[in-house]
Amino acid sequence: MTMTHPGLPGEWITTVIIIMFLLAWRVFLTSPYHREFASGITLSNLPYVGKIAKFSVKTPWLLLSLKIVMVVLFLLIIAAGLFGTPIAERNIATVLTWNIWWTGLVISVFFIGTAWCAVCPWDSLATWLVRRRLWNRVHPNNSLNLKVPRWLRSVWPALLLFIALTWLELGFGITTSPYLTALLSLLMIIMATMSLAIYEGKAFCRYFCPVGRTIGFYSELAPVELRPVDTDVCAKCTTIDCYHGTQTVEPCPTHLVMGRLKQNTYCTSCGNCTRSCPVDNISWRLRSPSREAIQDARPHWDEAWFMISLLALTEFHGYTMLPSFNQQLSKLALFIGDSGQLLWSFSVLLLLSLILPAIAYVLFVGMVRWFSKSKPEYKKLISGFAFITLPLAFSYHIAHNISHLSREAGGLGSLLTNPFGFGTQPLSMMEKHMRYTDTLLSEGVLYTLQAGLMLFGFWISLKVIHYRGQALLPKSGISLTPMVLYALLVTGFHLWLLNQPMTMRM
Ligand code: SF4
Ligand code: SF4
């Protein structure tokens, strides 16, 4: 029997919609201006906290310890997946990978930006295998150090891998197989290792990793960033060790120069720069979460399509969790003559879920251009307005995931005592019922968070429309209305998805 979570109640939806219209109205009443953001709070300058912040970014031990913990957990996942029980909910490989990590990862970006990348076990294992050292720079670095071919230097490879990962996760059903989960984990290590052994820097993190790029784009909305304490010091710097590295510290793996860094997207929080800067001019900073999406992040064509696709795939994720999804899949299978695991039918739906939102976005941008007097380049508008999709995708992704995490993280205690699930049986109805009722968050808290997230995403998307709209279309006025309508419709769709009962992953 399939168990479902209840959705966000109608009264919450109505309240959110009313507030959304009030917010949209307020944007129209506000006269256009270019906002100057405050520079944020530099943690290393704070009393007490500053000392801890400075120490944590300077010592290699903290990061190394966390990396070792992550690698141990990761190897446990592979071993449990290969040799443990095939019952998904009794094997730590599937529960830790899909119910805890994959679900919690996006939520973590909301608090700590790209910090996951700093302790990522795929990169740690690849680095240890290729460099053959736990830390510190090695000379030579055991890589062919080839330049990444120009045609691969974009986020298109990461997007294709993200689509493939979604297909494996939701279509092929890898989430219900500990064995396949372990094989996928091994595949990720092989790809990361090969990339490091062939290309210079961390090309896998920069161009290929679907998880890293997803975190990277979402972290444009994170309230934290690694930035220079004083940009004037960087402007006068002659060594630029943060970029080149030192005798003992590796260079920036994604070729970023700290003095010019404006966005989190490609920073993996690896800490190389903080350890190599000779004058300790780098610190974690607290900042407005909308700053990059509104102003700092530069629009690029490939990145725009990654963000638009991220929104589409996030929505598709929610759609596949609806109890009616399997019926719709079966109807399509009947129509196209598909049988067996219905992979063709699933692939068609996945493709449609990518194409339809993209068409909708392009049409709304087209309307903006049609209304505007200046008729700017279409491509420029598509890239520039793509930042609207980021807060919409991020807020829905987290709202969807906290529901999963709150209701499906149970049973971890018993898994820690028997991670391989030896001698266990599938969950009984009684156990399923207990997990159903035993939630991490009370329903009131969960609904408040979900409603708040929807408003957060919508509000930031309005700010992006307002500020980027002024930059793209000076004296834009009423011509931005289609993008406001777009944000309203997308958030409305997300509210509808959250309102539906959702299939539990157990
Ligand atoms: S962060 Fe440090 S090493 Fe890098 S440019 Fe600034 S002062 Fe120089
Ligand atoms: S070295 Fe580069 S990737 Fe690493 S934390 Fe510094 S800026 Fe980010």
Side-chain angles (χ1 to χ4, degrees), residues 94 106 112 139 153 175 207 225 242 394-395 436 459 493:
T94 30
V106 176
I112 50 175
H139 305 273
R153 272 184 249 158
T175 51
Y207 301 113
E225 59 184 13
C242 57
F394 190 46
S395 56
Y436 180 81
W459 174 234
F493 178 56

Side-chain angles (χ1 to χ4, degrees), residues 227-231 233-243 257-260 273-274 276-282:
R227 292 292 186 276
V229 177
D230 183 347
T231 44
V233 173
C234 289
K236 290 179 196 139
C237 176
T238 51
T239 58
I240 318 194
D241 288 340
C242 57
Y243 176 81
V257 178
M258 188 43 79
R260 295 204 295 264
C273 55
T274 57
S276 56
C277 176
V279 287
D280 296 345
N281 191 35
I282 304 170

Side-chain angles (χ1 to χ4, degrees), residues 226 252-254 256 258 266-273:
L226 258 184
C252 173
T254 50
L256 303 172
M258 188 43 79
Y266 298 105
C267 174
T268 61
S269 304
C270 69
N272 287 358
C273 55

Side-chain angles (χ1 to χ4, degrees), residues 125-202:
L125 281 167
T127 308
W128 295 343
L129 286 170
V130 174
R131 306 278 193 251
R132 285 177 243 145
R133 239 199 226 179
L134 275 186
W135 73 96
N136 277 356
R137 192 172 187 174
V138 277
H139 305 273
N141 68 4
N142 306 322
S143 167
L144 296 177
N145 292 314
L146 300 183
K147 281 209 177 314
V148 177
R150 188 171 284 276
W151 59 275
L152 278 177
R153 272 184 249 158
S154 66
V155 289
W156 291 114
L159 177 56
L160 289 179
L161 281 173
F162 192 28
I163 295 169
L165 192 65
T166 307
W167 188 87
L168 285 172
E169 182 199 350
L170 303 170
F172 199 67
I174 207 168
T175 51
T176 54
S177 167
Y179 188 75
L180 292 178
T181 300
L183 290 188
L184 179 68
S185 307
L186 284 170
L187 180 69
M188 295 309 283
I189 299 177
I190 292 170
M191 288 198 292
T193 308
M194 281 177 58
S195 171
L196 192 62
I198 296 171
Y199 297 122
E200 59 168 7
K202 298 267 169 93

